[in-house]
PDB file of all heavy atoms in Angstrom:
ATOM      1  N   ARG A   3     -24.224  -3.403  16.033  1.00  0.00           N
ATOM      2  CA  ARG A   3     -24.189  -4.469  15.030  1.00  0.00           C
ATOM      3  C   ARG A   3     -22.833  -5.167  15.026  1.00  0.00           C
ATOM      4  O   ARG A   3     -22.750  -6.385  14.870  1.00  0.00           O
ATOM      5  CB  ARG A   3     -24.531  -3.924  13.645  1.00  0.00           C
ATOM      6  CG  ARG A   3     -26.035  -3.792  13.419  1.00  0.00           C
ATOM      7  CD  ARG A   3     -26.362  -3.481  11.967  1.00  0.00           C
ATOM      8  NE  ARG A   3     -25.931  -2.145  11.579  1.00  0.00           N
ATOM      9  CZ  ARG A   3     -26.603  -1.024  11.864  1.00  0.00           C
ATOM     10  NH1 ARG A   3     -27.728  -1.078  12.544  1.00  0.00           N
ATOM     11  NH2 ARG A   3     -26.140   0.149  11.467  1.00  0.00           N
ATOM     12  N   SER A   4     -21.777  -4.406  15.215  1.00  0.00           N
ATOM     13  CA  SER A   4     -20.433  -4.980  15.281  1.00  0.00           C
ATOM     14  C   SER A   4     -20.301  -5.922  16.476  1.00  0.00           C
ATOM     15  O   SER A   4     -19.746  -7.022  16.354  1.00  0.00           O
ATOM     16  CB  SER A   4     -19.396  -3.859  15.367  1.00  0.00           C
ATOM     17  OG  SER A   4     -18.115  -4.386  15.572  1.00  0.00           O
ATOM     18  N   ILE A   5     -20.806  -5.505  17.612  1.00  0.00           N
ATOM     19  CA  ILE A   5     -20.760  -6.347  18.813  1.00  0.00           C
ATOM     20  C   ILE A   5     -21.599  -7.602  18.592  1.00  0.00           C
ATOM     21  O   ILE A   5     -21.183  -8.715  18.933  1.00  0.00           O
ATOM     22  CB  ILE A   5     -21.230  -5.562  20.060  1.00  0.00           C
ATOM     23  CG1 ILE A   5     -20.258  -4.419  20.358  1.00  0.00           C
ATOM     24  CG2 ILE A   5     -21.348  -6.495  21.265  1.00  0.00           C
ATOM     25  CD1 ILE A   5     -20.756  -3.426  21.404  1.00  0.00           C
ATOM     26  N   LEU A   6     -22.780  -7.442  18.001  1.00  0.00           N
ATOM     27  CA  LEU A   6     -23.650  -8.581  17.730  1.00  0.00           C
ATOM     28  C   LEU A   6     -22.983  -9.554  16.750  1.00  0.00           C
ATOM     29  O   LEU A   6     -23.039 -10.769  16.930  1.00  0.00           O
ATOM     30  CB  LEU A   6     -25.002  -8.113  17.185  1.00  0.00           C
ATOM     31  CG  LEU A   6     -26.042  -9.201  16.919  1.00  0.00           C
ATOM     32  CD1 LEU A   6     -26.359  -9.983  18.190  1.00  0.00           C
ATOM     33  CD2 LEU A   6     -27.310  -8.590  16.340  1.00  0.00           C
ATOM     34  N   THR A   7     -22.315  -9.025  15.741  1.00  0.00           N
ATOM     35  CA  THR A   7     -21.598  -9.869  14.779  1.00  0.00           C
ATOM     36  C   THR A   7     -20.505 -10.669  15.478  1.00  0.00           C
ATOM     37  O   THR A   7     -20.360 -11.881  15.240  1.00  0.00           O
ATOM     38  CB  THR A   7     -20.990  -9.013  13.651  1.00  0.00           C
ATOM     39  OG1 THR A   7     -22.059  -8.383  12.942  1.00  0.00           O
ATOM     40  CG2 THR A   7     -20.164  -9.856  12.699  1.00  0.00           C
ATOM     41  N   ASP A   8     -19.747 -10.013  16.353  1.00  0.00           N
ATOM     42  CA  ASP A   8     -18.700 -10.716  17.099  1.00  0.00           C
ATOM     43  C   ASP A   8     -19.304 -11.805  17.987  1.00  0.00           C
ATOM     44  O   ASP A   8     -18.740 -12.898  18.103  1.00  0.00           O
ATOM     45  CB  ASP A   8     -17.884  -9.746  17.945  1.00  0.00           C
ATOM     46  CG  ASP A   8     -16.954  -8.888  17.105  1.00  0.00           C
ATOM     47  OD1 ASP A   8     -16.772  -9.181  15.903  1.00  0.00           O
ATOM     48  OD2 ASP A   8     -16.416  -7.908  17.654  1.00  0.00           O
ATOM     49  N   LEU A   9     -20.444 -11.511  18.589  1.00  0.00           N
ATOM     50  CA  LEU A   9     -21.109 -12.496  19.437  1.00  0.00           C
ATOM     51  C   LEU A   9     -21.578 -13.695  18.604  1.00  0.00           C
ATOM     52  O   LEU A   9     -21.425 -14.848  19.021  1.00  0.00           O
ATOM     53  CB  LEU A   9     -22.289 -11.853  20.175  1.00  0.00           C
ATOM     54  CG  LEU A   9     -23.022 -12.721  21.184  1.00  0.00           C
ATOM     55  CD1 LEU A   9     -22.077 -13.221  22.272  1.00  0.00           C
ATOM     56  CD2 LEU A   9     -24.174 -11.940  21.794  1.00  0.00           C
ATOM     57  N   GLN A  10     -22.117 -13.433  17.437  1.00  0.00           N
ATOM     58  CA  GLN A  10     -22.557 -14.524  16.570  1.00  0.00           C
ATOM     59  C   GLN A  10     -21.373 -15.355  16.088  1.00  0.00           C
ATOM     60  O   GLN A  10     -21.454 -16.588  16.038  1.00  0.00           O
ATOM     61  CB  GLN A  10     -23.365 -13.975  15.399  1.00  0.00           C
ATOM     62  CG  GLN A  10     -24.718 -13.450  15.840  1.00  0.00           C
ATOM     63  CD  GLN A  10     -25.427 -12.616  14.789  1.00  0.00           C
ATOM     64  OE1 GLN A  10     -24.828 -12.144  13.838  1.00  0.00           O
ATOM     65  NE2 GLN A  10     -26.723 -12.441  14.975  1.00  0.00           N
ATOM     66  N   GLU A  11     -20.261 -14.710  15.757  1.00  0.00           N
ATOM     67  CA  GLU A  11     -19.053 -15.448  15.371  1.00  0.00           C
ATOM     68  C   GLU A  11     -18.537 -16.277  16.535  1.00  0.00           C
ATOM     69  O   GLU A  11     -18.074 -17.407  16.348  1.00  0.00           O
ATOM     70  CB  GLU A  11     -17.975 -14.485  14.875  1.00  0.00           C
ATOM     71  CG  GLU A  11     -18.276 -13.902  13.517  1.00  0.00           C
ATOM     72  CD  GLU A  11     -17.235 -12.878  13.068  1.00  0.00           C
ATOM     73  OE1 GLU A  11     -16.221 -12.672  13.781  1.00  0.00           O
ATOM     74  OE2 GLU A  11     -17.447 -12.286  12.000  1.00  0.00           O
ATOM     75  N   TRP A  12     -18.616 -15.721  17.728  1.00  0.00           N
ATOM     76  CA  TRP A  12     -18.208 -16.465  18.922  1.00  0.00           C
ATOM     77  C   TRP A  12     -19.049 -17.738  19.057  1.00  0.00           C
ATOM     78  O   TRP A  12     -18.515 -18.820  19.303  1.00  0.00           O
ATOM     79  CB  TRP A  12     -18.361 -15.567  20.158  1.00  0.00           C
ATOM     80  CG  TRP A  12     -18.123 -16.283  21.449  1.00  0.00           C
ATOM     81  CD1 TRP A  12     -16.925 -16.463  22.072  1.00  0.00           C
ATOM     82  CD2 TRP A  12     -19.099 -16.937  22.259  1.00  0.00           C
ATOM     83  NE1 TRP A  12     -17.109 -17.175  23.222  1.00  0.00           N
ATOM     84  CE2 TRP A  12     -18.430 -17.485  23.365  1.00  0.00           C
ATOM     85  CE3 TRP A  12     -20.486 -17.099  22.158  1.00  0.00           C
ATOM     86  CZ2 TRP A  12     -19.086 -18.195  24.354  1.00  0.00           C
ATOM     87  CZ3 TRP A  12     -21.146 -17.810  23.137  1.00  0.00           C
ATOM     88  CH2 TRP A  12     -20.452 -18.347  24.224  1.00  0.00           C
ATOM     89  N   LYS A  13     -20.365 -17.609  18.871  1.00  0.00           N
ATOM     90  CA  LYS A  13     -21.250 -18.774  18.982  1.00  0.00           C
ATOM     91  C   LYS A  13     -20.896 -19.850  17.967  1.00  0.00           C
ATOM     92  O   LYS A  13     -20.987 -21.038  18.257  1.00  0.00           O
ATOM     93  CB  LYS A  13     -22.716 -18.366  18.797  1.00  0.00           C
ATOM     94  CG  LYS A  13     -23.324 -17.728  20.016  1.00  0.00           C
ATOM     95  CD  LYS A  13     -24.798 -17.473  19.786  1.00  0.00           C
ATOM     96  CE  LYS A  13     -25.453 -16.982  21.043  1.00  0.00           C
ATOM     97  NZ  LYS A  13     -26.922 -16.865  20.890  1.00  0.00           N
ATOM     98  N   GLU A  14     -20.478 -19.430  16.783  1.00  0.00           N
ATOM     99  CA  GLU A  14     -20.114 -20.397  15.743  1.00  0.00           C
ATOM    100  C   GLU A  14     -18.850 -21.168  16.106  1.00  0.00           C
ATOM    101  O   GLU A  14     -18.628 -22.254  15.576  1.00  0.00           O
ATOM    102  CB  GLU A  14     -19.926 -19.686  14.402  1.00  0.00           C
ATOM    103  CG  GLU A  14     -21.221 -19.169  13.817  1.00  0.00           C
ATOM    104  CD  GLU A  14     -21.020 -18.322  12.582  1.00  0.00           C
ATOM    105  OE1 GLU A  14     -19.870 -18.219  12.104  1.00  0.00           O
ATOM    106  OE2 GLU A  14     -22.014 -17.769  12.086  1.00  0.00           O
ATOM    107  N   GLN A  15     -18.040 -20.625  17.002  1.00  0.00           N
ATOM    108  CA  GLN A  15     -16.792 -21.278  17.391  1.00  0.00           C
ATOM    109  C   GLN A  15     -16.940 -22.193  18.601  1.00  0.00           C
ATOM    110  O   GLN A  15     -15.989 -22.882  18.970  1.00  0.00           O
ATOM    111  CB  GLN A  15     -15.713 -20.223  17.685  1.00  0.00           C
ATOM    112  CG  GLN A  15     -15.381 -19.336  16.515  1.00  0.00           C
ATOM    113  CD  GLN A  15     -14.937 -20.123  15.300  1.00  0.00           C
ATOM    114  OE1 GLN A  15     -14.149 -21.044  15.397  1.00  0.00           O
ATOM    115  NE2 GLN A  15     -15.477 -19.751  14.145  1.00  0.00           N
ATOM    116  N   LEU A  16     -18.130 -22.202  19.207  1.00  0.00           N
ATOM    117  CA  LEU A  16     -18.326 -23.026  20.396  1.00  0.00           C
ATOM    118  C   LEU A  16     -18.057 -24.490  20.106  1.00  0.00           C
ATOM    119  O   LEU A  16     -18.364 -24.998  19.026  1.00  0.00           O
ATOM    120  CB  LEU A  16     -19.755 -22.871  20.926  1.00  0.00           C
ATOM    121  CG  LEU A  16     -20.022 -21.602  21.700  1.00  0.00           C
ATOM    122  CD1 LEU A  16     -21.498 -21.490  22.048  1.00  0.00           C
ATOM    123  CD2 LEU A  16     -19.191 -21.533  22.955  1.00  0.00           C
ATOM    124  N   VAL A  17     -17.498 -25.144  21.077  1.00  0.00           N
ATOM    125  CA  VAL A  17     -17.221 -26.571  20.991  1.00  0.00           C
ATOM    126  C   VAL A  17     -18.024 -27.244  22.092  1.00  0.00           C
ATOM    127  O   VAL A  17     -17.910 -26.876  23.261  1.00  0.00           O
ATOM    128  CB  VAL A  17     -15.709 -26.848  21.171  1.00  0.00           C
ATOM    129  CG1 VAL A  17     -15.428 -28.334  21.145  1.00  0.00           C
ATOM    130  CG2 VAL A  17     -14.906 -26.114  20.117  1.00  0.00           C
ATOM    131  N   GLU A  18     -18.850 -28.212  21.710  1.00  0.00           N
ATOM    132  CA  GLU A  18     -19.666 -28.932  22.680  1.00  0.00           C
ATOM    133  C   GLU A  18     -18.779 -29.784  23.576  1.00  0.00           C
ATOM    134  O   GLU A  18     -17.808 -30.376  23.115  1.00  0.00           O
ATOM    135  CB  GLU A  18     -20.629 -29.861  21.958  1.00  0.00           C
ATOM    136  CG  GLU A  18     -22.076 -29.483  21.903  1.00  0.00           C
ATOM    137  CD  GLU A  18     -22.638 -28.654  23.015  1.00  0.00           C
ATOM    138  OE1 GLU A  18     -22.551 -29.024  24.207  1.00  0.00           O
ATOM    139  OE2 GLU A  18     -23.219 -27.629  22.706  1.00  0.00           O
ATOM    140  N   VAL A  19     -19.153 -29.859  24.822  1.00  0.00           N
ATOM    141  CA  VAL A  19     -18.456 -30.689  25.787  1.00  0.00           C
ATOM    142  C   VAL A  19     -19.116 -32.069  25.779  1.00  0.00           C
ATOM    143  O   VAL A  19     -20.319 -32.171  25.985  1.00  0.00           O
ATOM    144  CB  VAL A  19     -18.518 -30.070  27.200  1.00  0.00           C
ATOM    145  CG1 VAL A  19     -17.829 -30.972  28.214  1.00  0.00           C
ATOM    146  CG2 VAL A  19     -17.918 -28.673  27.200  1.00  0.00           C
ATOM    147  N   PRO A  20     -18.350 -33.111  25.523  1.00  0.00           N
ATOM    148  CA  PRO A  20     -18.932 -34.456  25.532  1.00  0.00           C
ATOM    149  C   PRO A  20     -19.625 -34.758  26.851  1.00  0.00           C
ATOM    150  O   PRO A  20     -19.109 -34.435  27.925  1.00  0.00           O
ATOM    151  CB  PRO A  20     -17.716 -35.372  25.338  1.00  0.00           C
ATOM    152  CG  PRO A  20     -16.712 -34.517  24.656  1.00  0.00           C
ATOM    153  CD  PRO A  20     -16.925 -33.135  25.205  1.00  0.00           C
ATOM    154  N   GLY A  21     -20.811 -35.332  26.768  1.00  0.00           N
ATOM    155  CA  GLY A  21     -21.565 -35.695  27.963  1.00  0.00           C
ATOM    156  C   GLY A  21     -22.324 -34.554  28.601  1.00  0.00           C
ATOM    157  O   GLY A  21     -22.979 -34.746  29.624  1.00  0.00           O
ATOM    158  N   ASN A  22     -22.279 -33.364  28.019  1.00  0.00           N
ATOM    159  CA  ASN A  22     -22.979 -32.216  28.591  1.00  0.00           C
ATOM    160  C   ASN A  22     -24.410 -32.216  28.082  1.00  0.00           C
ATOM    161  O   ASN A  22     -24.709 -31.685  27.031  1.00  0.00           O
ATOM    162  CB  ASN A  22     -22.275 -30.913  28.203  1.00  0.00           C
ATOM    163  CG  ASN A  22     -22.908 -29.696  28.825  1.00  0.00           C
ATOM    164  OD1 ASN A  22     -23.651 -29.799  29.796  1.00  0.00           O
ATOM    165  ND2 ASN A  22     -22.610 -28.538  28.286  1.00  0.00           N
ATOM    166  N   GLU A  23     -25.290 -32.804  28.845  1.00  0.00           N
ATOM    167  CA  GLU A  23     -26.690 -32.921  28.435  1.00  0.00           C
ATOM    168  C   GLU A  23     -27.580 -31.907  29.139  1.00  0.00           C
ATOM    169  O   GLU A  23     -28.787 -31.967  29.031  1.00  0.00           O
ATOM    170  CB  GLU A  23     -27.197 -34.340  28.728  1.00  0.00           C
ATOM    171  CG  GLU A  23     -26.369 -35.427  28.073  1.00  0.00           C
ATOM    172  CD  GLU A  23     -26.353 -35.327  26.555  1.00  0.00           C
ATOM    173  OE1 GLU A  23     -27.337 -34.842  25.968  1.00  0.00           O
ATOM    174  OE2 GLU A  23     -25.338 -35.738  25.960  1.00  0.00           O
ATOM    175  N   ILE A  24     -26.978 -30.963  29.865  1.00  0.00           N
ATOM    176  CA  ILE A  24     -27.748 -30.027  30.680  1.00  0.00           C
ATOM    177  C   ILE A  24     -28.523 -29.028  29.846  1.00  0.00           C
ATOM    178  O   ILE A  24     -29.630 -28.652  30.186  1.00  0.00           O
ATOM    179  CB  ILE A  24     -26.825 -29.300  31.683  1.00  0.00           C
ATOM    180  CG1 ILE A  24     -26.266 -30.312  32.675  1.00  0.00           C
ATOM    181  CG2 ILE A  24     -27.552 -28.191  32.402  1.00  0.00           C
ATOM    182  CD1 ILE A  24     -25.233 -29.755  33.609  1.00  0.00           C
ATOM    183  N   HIS A  25     -27.980 -28.579  28.749  1.00  0.00           N
ATOM    184  CA  HIS A  25     -28.655 -27.539  27.976  1.00  0.00           C
ATOM    185  C   HIS A  25     -29.099 -28.059  26.617  1.00  0.00           C
ATOM    186  O   HIS A  25     -28.633 -29.089  26.139  1.00  0.00           O
ATOM    187  CB  HIS A  25     -27.743 -26.314  27.818  1.00  0.00           C
ATOM    188  CG  HIS A  25     -26.581 -26.540  26.919  1.00  0.00           C
ATOM    189  ND1 HIS A  25     -25.446 -27.180  27.323  1.00  0.00           N
ATOM    190  CD2 HIS A  25     -26.383 -26.223  25.624  1.00  0.00           C
ATOM    191  CE1 HIS A  25     -24.602 -27.249  26.326  1.00  0.00           C
ATOM    192  NE2 HIS A  25     -25.141 -26.683  25.274  1.00  0.00           N
ATOM    193  N   ASP A  26     -30.007 -27.311  26.022  1.00  0.00           N
ATOM    194  CA  ASP A  26     -30.542 -27.651  24.708  1.00  0.00           C
ATOM    195  C   ASP A  26     -29.591 -27.131  23.640  1.00  0.00           C
ATOM    196  O   ASP A  26     -29.419 -25.933  23.488  1.00  0.00           O
ATOM    197  CB  ASP A  26     -31.930 -27.013  24.554  1.00  0.00           C
ATOM    198  CG  ASP A  26     -32.532 -27.239  23.187  1.00  0.00           C
ATOM    199  OD1 ASP A  26     -32.078 -28.148  22.464  1.00  0.00           O
ATOM    200  OD2 ASP A  26     -33.471 -26.504  22.845  1.00  0.00           O
ATOM    201  N   HIS A  27     -29.001 -28.023  22.886  1.00  0.00           N
ATOM    202  CA  HIS A  27     -28.023 -27.652  21.872  1.00  0.00           C
ATOM    203  C   HIS A  27     -28.643 -26.822  20.755  1.00  0.00           C
ATOM    204  O   HIS A  27     -27.985 -25.995  20.164  1.00  0.00           O
ATOM    205  CB  HIS A  27     -27.378 -28.907  21.267  1.00  0.00           C
ATOM    206  CG  HIS A  27     -26.748 -29.782  22.290  1.00  0.00           C
ATOM    207  ND1 HIS A  27     -25.405 -29.827  22.493  1.00  0.00           N
ATOM    208  CD2 HIS A  27     -27.289 -30.635  23.196  1.00  0.00           C
ATOM    209  CE1 HIS A  27     -25.137 -30.679  23.469  1.00  0.00           C
ATOM    210  NE2 HIS A  27     -26.255 -31.174  23.907  1.00  0.00           N
ATOM    211  N   LYS A  28     -29.896 -27.026  20.467  1.00  0.00           N
ATOM    212  CA  LYS A  28     -30.542 -26.315  19.362  1.00  0.00           C
ATOM    213  C   LYS A  28     -30.851 -24.864  19.718  1.00  0.00           C
ATOM    214  O   LYS A  28     -30.926 -24.019  18.850  1.00  0.00           O
ATOM    215  CB  LYS A  28     -31.830 -27.030  18.962  1.00  0.00           C
ATOM    216  CG  LYS A  28     -31.568 -28.411  18.391  1.00  0.00           C
ATOM    217  CD  LYS A  28     -32.860 -29.135  18.124  1.00  0.00           C
ATOM    218  CE  LYS A  28     -32.562 -30.571  17.715  1.00  0.00           C
ATOM    219  NZ  LYS A  28     -33.733 -31.406  17.756  1.00  0.00           N
ATOM    220  N   SER A  29     -31.016 -24.573  20.996  1.00  0.00           N
ATOM    221  CA  SER A  29     -31.448 -23.233  21.395  1.00  0.00           C
ATOM    222  C   SER A  29     -30.387 -22.175  21.198  1.00  0.00           C
ATOM    223  O   SER A  29     -30.687 -21.003  21.125  1.00  0.00           O
ATOM    224  CB  SER A  29     -31.897 -23.232  22.860  1.00  0.00           C
ATOM    225  OG  SER A  29     -30.786 -23.422  23.710  1.00  0.00           O
ATOM    226  N   HIS A  30     -29.123 -22.558  21.131  1.00  0.00           N
ATOM    227  CA  HIS A  30     -28.090 -21.536  20.988  1.00  0.00           C
ATOM    228  C   HIS A  30     -27.379 -21.604  19.648  1.00  0.00           C
ATOM    229  O   HIS A  30     -26.478 -20.826  19.407  1.00  0.00           O
ATOM    230  CB  HIS A  30     -27.103 -21.550  22.160  1.00  0.00           C
ATOM    231  CG  HIS A  30     -26.557 -22.884  22.509  1.00  0.00           C
ATOM    232  ND1 HIS A  30     -27.202 -23.743  23.347  1.00  0.00           N
ATOM    233  CD2 HIS A  30     -25.441 -23.511  22.120  1.00  0.00           C
ATOM    234  CE1 HIS A  30     -26.490 -24.841  23.472  1.00  0.00           C
ATOM    235  NE2 HIS A  30     -25.420 -24.728  22.739  1.00  0.00           N
ATOM    236  N   GLY A  31     -27.773 -22.483  18.789  1.00  0.00           N
ATOM    237  CA  GLY A  31     -27.382 -22.450  17.395  1.00  0.00           C
ATOM    238  C   GLY A  31     -25.904 -22.550  17.075  1.00  0.00           C
ATOM    239  O   GLY A  31     -25.471 -22.069  16.057  1.00  0.00           O
ATOM    240  N   HIS A  32     -25.119 -23.158  17.925  1.00  0.00           N
ATOM    241  CA  HIS A  32     -23.715 -23.290  17.558  1.00  0.00           C
ATOM    242  C   HIS A  32     -23.469 -24.635  16.908  1.00  0.00           C
ATOM    243  O   HIS A  32     -24.250 -25.549  17.019  1.00  0.00           O
ATOM    244  CB  HIS A  32     -22.788 -23.049  18.745  1.00  0.00           C
ATOM    245  CG  HIS A  32     -22.865 -24.088  19.824  1.00  0.00           C
ATOM    246  ND1 HIS A  32     -23.689 -23.957  20.896  1.00  0.00           N
ATOM    247  CD2 HIS A  32     -22.227 -25.265  19.973  1.00  0.00           C
ATOM    248  CE1 HIS A  32     -23.546 -25.012  21.680  1.00  0.00           C
ATOM    249  NE2 HIS A  32     -22.675 -25.817  21.140  1.00  0.00           N
ATOM    250  N   HIS A  33     -22.363 -24.698  16.249  1.00  0.00           N
ATOM    251  CA  HIS A  33     -21.999 -25.926  15.561  1.00  0.00           C
ATOM    252  C   HIS A  33     -21.369 -26.887  16.548  1.00  0.00           C
ATOM    253  O   HIS A  33     -20.676 -26.489  17.470  1.00  0.00           O
ATOM    254  CB  HIS A  33     -21.001 -25.633  14.440  1.00  0.00           C
ATOM    255  CG  HIS A  33     -21.535 -24.656  13.448  1.00  0.00           C
ATOM    256  ND1 HIS A  33     -22.563 -24.963  12.600  1.00  0.00           N
ATOM    257  CD2 HIS A  33     -21.199 -23.383  13.185  1.00  0.00           C
ATOM    258  CE1 HIS A  33     -22.821 -23.911  11.848  1.00  0.00           C
ATOM    259  NE2 HIS A  33     -22.010 -22.935  12.187  1.00  0.00           N
ATOM    260  N   ASP A  34     -21.605 -28.149  16.329  1.00  0.00           N
ATOM    261  CA  ASP A  34     -20.997 -29.170  17.173  1.00  0.00           C
ATOM    262  C   ASP A  34     -19.632 -29.508  16.586  1.00  0.00           C
ATOM    263  O   ASP A  34     -19.494 -30.408  15.779  1.00  0.00           O
ATOM    264  CB  ASP A  34     -21.902 -30.399  17.214  1.00  0.00           C
ATOM    265  CG  ASP A  34     -21.527 -31.364  18.317  1.00  0.00           C
ATOM    266  OD1 ASP A  34     -20.696 -30.990  19.165  1.00  0.00           O
ATOM    267  OD2 ASP A  34     -22.075 -32.474  18.325  1.00  0.00           O
ATOM    268  N   GLN A  35     -18.624 -28.717  16.965  1.00  0.00           N
ATOM    269  CA  GLN A  35     -17.284 -28.915  16.442  1.00  0.00           C
ATOM    270  C   GLN A  35     -16.792 -30.320  16.795  1.00  0.00           C
ATOM    271  O   GLN A  35     -17.114 -30.848  17.844  1.00  0.00           O
ATOM    272  CB  GLN A  35     -16.316 -27.871  17.027  1.00  0.00           C
ATOM    273  CG  GLN A  35     -16.727 -26.445  16.813  1.00  0.00           C
ATOM    274  CD  GLN A  35     -16.479 -25.983  15.384  1.00  0.00           C
ATOM    275  OE1 GLN A  35     -15.778 -26.610  14.631  1.00  0.00           O
ATOM    276  NE2 GLN A  35     -17.081 -24.876  15.025  1.00  0.00           N
ATOM    277  N   ASN A  36     -16.017 -30.908  15.921  1.00  0.00           N
ATOM    278  CA  ASN A  36     -15.484 -32.240  16.155  1.00  0.00           C
ATOM    279  C   ASN A  36     -14.511 -32.197  17.327  1.00  0.00           C
ATOM    280  O   ASN A  36     -13.526 -31.486  17.292  1.00  0.00           O
ATOM    281  CB  ASN A  36     -14.788 -32.740  14.897  1.00  0.00           C
ATOM    282  CG  ASN A  36     -14.245 -34.140  15.051  1.00  0.00           C
ATOM    283  OD1 ASN A  36     -14.451 -34.795  16.067  1.00  0.00           O
ATOM    284  ND2 ASN A  36     -13.547 -34.598  14.038  1.00  0.00           N
ATOM    285  N   GLN A  37     -14.801 -32.985  18.357  1.00  0.00           N
ATOM    286  CA  GLN A  37     -13.920 -33.006  19.500  1.00  0.00           C
ATOM    287  C   GLN A  37     -13.396 -34.414  19.777  1.00  0.00           C
ATOM    288  O   GLN A  37     -12.995 -34.732  20.876  1.00  0.00           O
ATOM    289  CB  GLN A  37     -14.575 -32.372  20.721  1.00  0.00           C
ATOM    290  CG  GLN A  37     -15.763 -33.024  21.377  1.00  0.00           C
ATOM    291  CD  GLN A  37     -17.052 -33.019  20.640  1.00  0.00           C
ATOM    292  OE1 GLN A  37     -17.346 -34.016  20.043  1.00  0.00           O
ATOM    293  NE2 GLN A  37     -17.852 -31.995  20.689  1.00  0.00           N
ATOM    294  N   SER A  38     -13.349 -35.262  18.740  1.00  0.00           N
ATOM    295  CA  SER A  38     -12.915 -36.645  18.929  1.00  0.00           C
ATOM    296  C   SER A  38     -11.446 -36.747  19.339  1.00  0.00           C
ATOM    297  O   SER A  38     -11.064 -37.691  20.007  1.00  0.00           O
ATOM    298  CB  SER A  38     -13.176 -37.463  17.666  1.00  0.00           C
ATOM    299  OG  SER A  38     -12.459 -36.916  16.579  1.00  0.00           O
ATOM    300  N   ASP A  39     -10.614 -35.813  18.951  1.00  0.00           N
ATOM    301  CA  ASP A  39      -9.191 -35.859  19.287  1.00  0.00           C
ATOM    302  C   ASP A  39      -8.832 -34.903  20.412  1.00  0.00           C
ATOM    303  O   ASP A  39      -7.654 -34.604  20.616  1.00  0.00           O
ATOM    304  CB  ASP A  39      -8.347 -35.506  18.054  1.00  0.00           C
ATOM    305  CG  ASP A  39      -8.492 -36.541  16.953  1.00  0.00           C
ATOM    306  OD1 ASP A  39      -8.741 -37.719  17.279  1.00  0.00           O
ATOM    307  OD2 ASP A  39      -8.367 -36.174  15.782  1.00  0.00           O
ATOM    308  N   VAL A  40      -9.819 -34.419  21.130  1.00  0.00           N
ATOM    309  CA  VAL A  40      -9.595 -33.439  22.189  1.00  0.00           C
ATOM    310  C   VAL A  40      -9.634 -34.147  23.538  1.00  0.00           C
ATOM    311  O   VAL A  40     -10.607 -34.815  23.864  1.00  0.00           O
ATOM    312  CB  VAL A  40     -10.669 -32.322  22.138  1.00  0.00           C
ATOM    313  CG1 VAL A  40     -10.479 -31.343  23.270  1.00  0.00           C
ATOM    314  CG2 VAL A  40     -10.629 -31.620  20.798  1.00  0.00           C
ATOM    315  N   THR A  41      -8.574 -33.985  24.306  1.00  0.00           N
ATOM    316  CA  THR A  41      -8.531 -34.572  25.644  1.00  0.00           C
ATOM    317  C   THR A  41      -9.377 -33.727  26.595  1.00  0.00           C
ATOM    318  O   THR A  41      -9.701 -32.565  26.290  1.00  0.00           O
ATOM    319  CB  THR A  41      -7.086 -34.626  26.178  1.00  0.00           C
ATOM    320  OG1 THR A  41      -6.642 -33.282  26.408  1.00  0.00           O
ATOM    321  CG2 THR A  41      -6.157 -35.357  25.224  1.00  0.00           C
ATOM    322  N   PRO A  42      -9.721 -34.259  27.756  1.00  0.00           N
ATOM    323  CA  PRO A  42     -10.474 -33.459  28.730  1.00  0.00           C
ATOM    324  C   PRO A  42      -9.751 -32.167  29.109  1.00  0.00           C
ATOM    325  O   PRO A  42     -10.376 -31.125  29.262  1.00  0.00           O
ATOM    326  CB  PRO A  42     -10.607 -34.397  29.931  1.00  0.00           C
ATOM    327  CG  PRO A  42     -10.541 -35.768  29.352  1.00  0.00           C
ATOM    328  CD  PRO A  42      -9.582 -35.656  28.200  1.00  0.00           C
TER     329      PRO A  42
END
């Protein structure tokens, strides 16, 4: 359960890569963190 909790917290920290249309964003349930000020 501890490992699973860490994995779920990890998923919540994911940051979407702009233009990455390869995968389904809904299937992995992470938040689309704001990346407007993030350089490549």
Side-chain angles (χ1 to χ4, degrees):
R3 278 190 291 280
S4 174
I5 295 169
L6 183 59
T7 297
D8 287 348
L9 185 59
Q10 290 167 343
E11 288 177 4
W12 173 87
K13 282 185 174 186
E14 290 173 6
Q15 300 303 316
L16 283 174
V17 177
E18 254 331 304
V19 178
N22 183 18
E23 304 299 330
I24 295 173
H25 70 280
D26 177 18
H27 304 257
K28 295 175 187 166
S29 69
H30 49 274
H32 67 267
H33 302 291
D34 194 10
Q35 304 284 345
N36 182 5
Q37 67 290 99
S38 60
D39 295 331
V40 177
T41 68

